[in-house]
Amino acid sequence: MESFEVIIQPSAYKELRTLHFEFQGRILRKIESLTGQAIPRGAVKLKDRERIFRIRVGNYRIIYEIDIDNKKVTIFRIRHRKDAYKSF
């Protein structure tokens, strides 16, 4: 089974810290699951983006990029669904 390195950008980590602790736990569990499977069931590839995906966790979205060659997942946005795609 392939293992991916998950990198959380500082801006995404800052967004995560502002959330209620209940959501933080749910989102962190989902992020941890990306180490084993970079495109889990329910992940959606974003339109017009080659390697950018999103995962839904309740009303929040985790937006990340996959680098298959280097086995890395880079999380760069964790936001409420109404704000997740603004200025993207």
Side-chain angles (χ1 to χ4, degrees), residues 20 29 36 48-49 61 83-84:
H20 188 270
R29 283 190 294 278
D48 301 329
R49 306 290 178 156
R61 303 296 183 262
D83 300 321

Side-chain angles (χ1 to χ4, degrees), residues 16-64:
L16 177 64
R17 286 190 354 230
T18 65
L19 302 178
H20 188 270
F21 73 93
E22 177 185 332
F23 292 113
Q24 287 180 12
R26 289 175 60 194
I27 289 170
L28 285 172
R29 283 190 294 278
K30 187 61 89 168
I31 289 171
E32 288 174 9
S33 74
L34 294 174
T35 60
Q37 187 174 9
I39 306 174
R41 191 173 83 179
V44 175
K45 182 180 161 303
L46 295 185
K47 201 180 226 183
D48 301 329
R49 306 290 178 156
E50 190 172 323
R51 303 177 304 180
I52 309 279
F53 291 81
R54 70 115 168 120
I55 300 176
R56 188 178 156 231
V57 180
N59 285 331
Y60 291 90
R61 303 296 183 262
I62 302 169
I63 301 177
Y64 64 99

Side-chain angles (χ1 to χ4, degrees), residues 62-75:
I62 302 169
I63 301 177
Y64 64 99
E65 180 177 24
I66 299 174
D67 181 357
I68 293 176
D69 297 332
N70 295 317
K71 304 230 186 286
K72 290 185 182 181
V73 172
T74 304
I75 297 170

